[in-house]
Amino acid sequence: MSHTLPDEPAGRNALLRIDVLIPLAVALLVLAYLLMGVQRAAKTAELARFDFDAFGKIAVSEDGRVKPLDTVARNALLLVSQKQSLKDDMLLPGDNGVERDAVVWLAELIAGRPEAFERKVIRIDDPDVLGLMGKTPEDGKFYSLNDLNRPAKTGDTPVFAEIDRLSREAQGVRDDQRSRFQEHVLGLRSQIGTMMALQSMARPYVIPPVEKGQDWAP
């Protein structure tokens, strides 16, 4: 969202400070997490070096409400996987079997770490949607962004691109006339979109208003 700068120099300076300092603070948090990747310590010790509790308490705006990042992370992970923490198949070998909070997943997404694309956090229940990937329910219900970037069973097009095409077709069908398959395609497209919006920081909004009447900004 765009903002109108205040006429007063003091107000303008305040807005410039907030526009610079808030993104800088988030960038520094992400940088600290990235730097953790070069540590030779064990994964548990590596995580202990980063204050995820403080990161999760950062106030942001989503859906018109101010809430902590931890809440955003848990709600988003719940939408994507129907779970509020990283466990079971979502864990990677380097996690040493230790359950991870949703805010760790969010930090990985924002930082663009490889783990974020390898974690099997996307739940897919429909057998026909699984069929697009050459999978069956017996192969499991949880898949990663990397899994969805592989060619679909129907050709060389990545699964994600095929889901995007099918979801646009489904959107042109009346709600009461959509098939089960189309509803699940739309649901999967929403799950992927949620992750991409978080990864690009298109949501939630992190820059607070400086004056009354102004809006939060991404």
Side-chain angles (χ1 to χ4, degrees), residues 111-171:
R113 286 173 64 103
E115 293 97 321
F117 300 90
E118 295 172 3
R119 291 195 184 280
K120 296 183 181 297
V121 298
I122 302 172
R123 178 165 178 155
I124 304 175
D125 291 303
D126 187 77
D128 292 330
V129 175
L130 288 171
L132 291 174
M133 306 168 62
K135 303 291 185 180
T136 68
E138 288 70 29
D139 294 314
K141 295 182 177 181
F142 293 91
Y143 295 87
S144 69
L145 287 172
N146 283 342
D147 290 330
L148 296 178
N149 198 39
R150 297 188 176 97
K153 184 180 179 181
T154 53
D156 296 330
T157 304
V159 173
F160 171 76
E162 184 67 6
I163 290 295
D164 191 56
R165 181 186 69 81
L166 291 170
S167 67
R168 282 186 273 109
E169 289 182 1
Q171 286 174 335

Side-chain angles (χ1 to χ4, degrees), residues 9-216:
R12 183 180 296 110
N13 290 339
L15 182 56
L16 290 175
R17 285 196 301 272
I18 203 72
D19 280 348
V20 171
L21 293 178
I22 296 296
L24 178 60
V26 174
L28 288 174
L29 285 168
V30 171
L31 177 60
Y33 187 56
L34 284 169
L35 290 175
M36 286 167 48
V38 302
Q39 300 293 331
R40 297 183 181 274
K43 190 72 175 181
T44 51
E46 189 175 300
L47 287 174
R49 294 172 180 269
F50 190 79
D51 194 346
F52 284 105
D53 184 58
F55 183 69
K57 290 178 181 177
I58 294 175
V60 297
S61 176
E62 184 182 49
D63 299 328
R65 294 177 53 200
V66 177
K67 58 186 73 171
L69 267 178
D70 179 68
T71 298
V72 172
R74 285 187 287 106
N75 289 344
L77 187 59
L78 184 64
L79 174 66
V80 170
S81 67
Q82 298 183 23
K83 297 180 183 291
Q84 289 192 319
S85 63
L86 301 172
K87 58 180 68 176
D88 304 326
D89 291 343
M90 299 178 186
L91 297 176
L92 300 174
D95 295 330
N96 298 320
V98 180
E99 184 175 334
R100 299 284 186 261
D101 292 335
V103 73
V104 175
W105 170 71
L106 177 59
E108 289 174 347
L109 277 175
I110 294 174
R113 286 173 64 103
E115 293 97 321
F117 300 90
E118 295 172 3
R119 291 195 184 280
K120 296 183 181 297
V121 298
I122 302 172
R123 178 165 178 155
I124 304 175
D125 291 303
D126 187 77
D128 292 330
V129 175
L130 288 171
L132 291 174
M133 306 168 62
K135 303 291 185 180
T136 68
E138 288 70 29
D139 294 314
K141 295 182 177 181
F142 293 91
Y143 295 87
S144 69
L145 287 172
N146 283 342
D147 290 330
L148 296 178
N149 198 39
R150 297 188 176 97
K153 184 180 179 181
T154 53
D156 296 330
T157 304
V159 173
F160 171 76
E162 184 67 6
I163 290 295
D164 191 56
R165 181 186 69 81
L166 291 170
S167 67
R168 282 186 273 109
E169 289 182 1
Q171 286 174 335
V173 179
R174 279 176 36 181
D175 293 357
D176 60 347
Q177 294 182 350
R178 287 178 188 147
S179 66
R180 183 208 70 232
F181 173 72
Q182 289 174 321
E183 290 291 351
H184 279 270
V185 163
L186 287 171
L188 178 55
R189 183 62 184 82
S190 177
Q191 291 167 277
I192 299 169
T194 293
M195 292 184 67
M196 292 297 93
L198 291 171
Q199 200 276 326
S200 65
M201 296 194 72
R203 58 172 288 202
Y205 288 177
V206 299
I207 303 176
V210 176
E211 293 191 345
K212 185 177 181 180
Q214 293 179 334
D215 295 318
W216 284 71

